[in-house]
Amino acid sequence: LELELPVISPSASTFDGSAVLTLTSASTAENAVIRYVIDSASPPTMTSPIYTNPIVVTTSGAHTIQAIS
C-alpha cells in the first residue's frame, strides 16, 4: 500500500478569523480516501478521520494539518 500526500488548499497561510481548507487526493485511484489530523504531534494513520467536507478552522493561532491518501 503506497500512501500519497494530498494537496491542502490554501496552503501555508495565515488567516485573520476563520479559514476553509480543502484537501484533494494526489492519488489517481478512484477509491482514494483522505485521512487527516489537526494539530497532532503524530502523522495521520489508517485510523485517522476520513476527509469528507472542507475543514473550517475558527480559532486563531497556528494550526497544523497533515493528510494522507
Side-chain angles (χ1 to χ4, degrees):
L1 176 64
E2 184 177 329
L3 300 177
E4 299 183 37
L5 297 177
V7 176
I8 301 173
S9 299
S11 64
S13 298
T14 301
F15 304 95
D16 288 331
S18 64
V20 177
L21 307 172
T22 57
L23 307 179
T24 306
S25 178
S27 173
T28 57
E30 287 184 33
N31 58 349
V33 173
I34 298 174
R35 294 187 179 269
Y36 70 97
V37 293
I38 300 174
D39 294 334
S40 174
S42 301
T45 66
M46 296 306 288
T47 59
S48 296
I50 295 174
Y51 173 80
T52 56
N53 293 304
I55 299 168
V56 179
V57 177
T58 58
T59 57
S60 60
H63 298 283
T64 302
I65 297 177
Q66 300 176 68
I68 55 173
S69 68

